[in-house]
């Protein structure tokens, strides 16, 4: 855990949006901009993909990020490494303390396999990513949905190496803030999952703020 607040004031942000529960969000960040995701009501997983804005084949890699920092959890100081070895963004503030990049994003198929046959038709993050991608650029397709980060999601690894989806450790108003180290495309699914505790069985809105460099 590396709890660190941000000196930035929300009144000076150049962009602000509320992402309703279960909705997607997509936007390009310019190098030097900072983006903050606020867990407005607590215990809300924010599934997020990052791409090099000039080459979508160069994208966030959980494997490279974990290996470079020697830790499976993401928090202040984590550099988000791309498949080409670039640093896409750095986490510069974090009042939650830990974010997951092992659990993946929920899908119709995984809901069906994990929970029940009739859960197949429930809204899932991979649908939201696709909706965002279609609204943005025809070159982004389902094939481009690879590693993601689950901000505010609690997926502890047990001493014997097991993964578990647990109650969240985030609370209302907790946030994570990232500095764009290059131009990046950011795609969010404000997770609609109702079958496990990642959203407290009650998905809620989050806020996204962006600041220009000084
Ligand atoms: Zn999800």
């Amino acid at each position: 855990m590396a709890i660190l607040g941000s000196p930035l004031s929300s009144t000076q942000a150049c962009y602000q949006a509320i992402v309703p529960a279960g909705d997607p969000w997509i936007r390009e960040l310019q190098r030097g901009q900072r983006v903050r995701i606020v867990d407005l009501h607590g215990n809300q997983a924010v599934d997020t993909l990052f791409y090099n804005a000039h080459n979508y084949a160069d994208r966030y890699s959980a494997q490279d990020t974990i290996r470079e920092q020697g830790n499976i959890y993401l928090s202040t100081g984590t550099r988000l490494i791309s498949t080409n070895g670039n640093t896409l963004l750095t986490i510069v503030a974090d009042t939650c303390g830990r974010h997951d990049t092992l659990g993946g994003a929920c899908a119709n198929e995984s809901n069906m396999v994990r929970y029940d046959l009739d859960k197949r038709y429930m809204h899932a993050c991979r649908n939201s990513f696709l909706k965002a991608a279609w609204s943005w650029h025809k070159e982004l397709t389902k094939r481009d949905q690879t590693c993601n980060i689950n901000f505010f999601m609690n997926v502890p690894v047990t001493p014997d190496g097991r993964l578990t989806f647990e109650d969240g450790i985030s609370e209302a108003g907790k946030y994570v803030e990232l500095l764009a180290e290059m131009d990046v495309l950011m795609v969010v699914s404000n997770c609609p999952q109702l079958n496990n505790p990642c959203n407290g069985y009650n998905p809620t809105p989050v806020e996204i703020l962006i600041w220009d460099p000084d």
Side-chain angles (χ1 to χ4, degrees):
M1 295 245 198
I3 303 285
L4 184 69
S6 166
L8 298 178
S9 158
S10 57
T11 58
Q12 279 160 353
C14 65
Y15 172 91
Q16 182 272 346
I18 300 292
V19 184
D23 269 16
W25 178 93
I26 187 166
R27 196 176 174 90
E28 227 172 67
L29 303 173
Q30 309 303 316
R31 182 181 176 196
Q33 285 188 320
R34 288 170 191 245
V35 61
R36 181 187 296 176
I37 308 170
V38 186
D39 185 0
L40 293 172
H41 298 272
N43 281 5
Q44 176 59 41
V46 182
D47 293 43
T48 307
L49 303 165
F50 291 107
Y51 302 85
N52 175 340
H54 305 292
N55 173 16
Y56 295 156
D58 182 26
R59 58 189 62 160
Y60 172 70
S61 164
Q63 184 180 35
D64 292 287
T65 298
I66 289 168
R67 187 194 60 242
E68 285 304 304
Q69 71 171 3
N71 195 296
I72 54 174
Y73 302 122
L74 312 187
S75 187
T76 310
T78 298
R79 292 186 305 124
L80 307 184
I81 308 294
S82 74
T83 47
N84 286 7
N86 293 308
T87 301
L88 297 166
L89 307 100
T90 302
I91 299 178
V92 290
D94 179 16
T95 61
C96 174
R98 197 171 81 186
H99 307 271
D100 166 69
T101 195
L102 299 174
C106 61
N108 296 132
E109 294 80 2
S110 62
N111 279 342
M112 180 176 70
V113 170
R114 282 182 189 148
Y115 306 114
D116 207 340
L117 276 178
D118 65 5
K119 308 295 187 195
R120 175 171 191 163
Y121 302 100
M122 293 178 76
H123 182 181
C125 279
R126 288 183 178 271
N127 302 339
S128 289
F129 284 147
L130 205 54
K131 188 176 175 191
W134 282 343
S135 77
W136 185 254
H137 202 293
K138 60 181 168 41
E139 287 176 22
L140 265 184
T141 71
K142 204 169 187 178
R143 286 169 189 250
D144 297 301
Q145 293 184 25
T146 52
C147 299
N148 72 288
I149 295 171
N150 298 305
F151 289 110
F152 308 111
M153 190 162 135
N154 186 24
V155 185
V157 175
T158 64
D160 58 346
R162 290 183 181 277
L163 273 184
T164 54
F165 291 79
E166 298 290 340
D167 261 346
I169 55 172
S170 182
E171 295 171 13
K174 301 275 185 186
Y175 63 83
V176 60
E177 195 172 294
L178 302 101
L179 168 68
E181 305 282 5
M182 52 196 288
D183 298 343
V184 294
L185 177 67
M186 175 173 171
V187 189
V188 162
S189 166
N190 191 12
C191 182
Q193 180 60 262
L194 291 167
N195 298 297
N196 72 46
C198 70
N199 304 314
Y201 300 100
N202 176 34
T204 50
V206 298
E207 183 180 31
I208 298 181
L209 299 145
I210 298 173
W211 286 263
D212 282 330
D214 294 335

